[in-house]
């Protein structure tokens, strides 16, 4: 019976219809994807953050006639913590975390488990990073201060480490300008 092409074609119809129904349940407004993002917002609320931008799901047709899906764009979290605006951008395995803070311009580069300070780093920042124990988490971090914010970036592993970066940025911001509220 399964050797007959017509039987196989008719058997495929309910499978295809179920797949379409399941896709609609996930992707429609208020569907399972939106519900998942709402749960993520609830989880971020104690941190004072919420989703302000999310990646877009896109069907991608291939020359072979196949259609695959992909996710394009960043996940962006934002909010106010301790009186400072915070923005977290997660994309492609990397991350950028910005905390509003008026601080002199400086750069820190992670390597060998520590944050290395250049000559331009203020004494308060040197003191704050001097209390950090060496740890692999600091090796891939880069910290810059400019334009009224502290920016911590990672090219890879950032989506797993952004909470460390938030802690670090707030610690450094407190070293140069203690938080309000």
């Amino acid at each position: 019976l399964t050797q007959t092409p017509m039987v196989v074609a008719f058997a495929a119809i309910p499978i295809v219809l179920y797949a379409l129904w399941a896709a609609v349940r996930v992707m429609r407004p208020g569907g399972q994807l939106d519900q998942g993002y709402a749960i993520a917002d609830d989880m971020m609320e104690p941190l004072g953050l919420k989703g302000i931008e999310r990646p877009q799901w896109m069907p991608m047709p291939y020359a072979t006639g196949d259609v695959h899906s992909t996710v394009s764009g960043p996940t962006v979290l934002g909010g106010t913590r301790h009186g400072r605006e915070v923005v977290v951008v997660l994309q492609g395995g990397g991350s950028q975390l910005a905390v509003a803070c008026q601080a002199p311009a400086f750069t820190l580069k992670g390597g060998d488990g520590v944050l290395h300070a250049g000559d331009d780093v203020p004494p308060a920042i040197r003191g704050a990073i001097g209390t950090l124990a060496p740890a692999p988490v600091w090796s891939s971090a880069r910290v810059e201060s400019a334009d009224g914010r502290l920016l911590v970036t990672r090219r890879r592993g950032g989506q797993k480490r952004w909470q460390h970066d938030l802690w670090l940025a707030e610690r450094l911001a407190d070293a140069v300008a203690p938080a309000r509220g």
Side-chain angles (χ1 to χ4, degrees), residues 60-68:
M60 298 292 292
Y62 287 92
T64 61
D66 292 341
V67 176
H68 297 274

Side-chain angles (χ1 to χ4, degrees), residues 27 49-50 59 65 68 76 82 141 146 157:
M27 300 308 301
L49 302 173
K50 67 178 183 173
H68 297 274
V76 181
H82 311 295

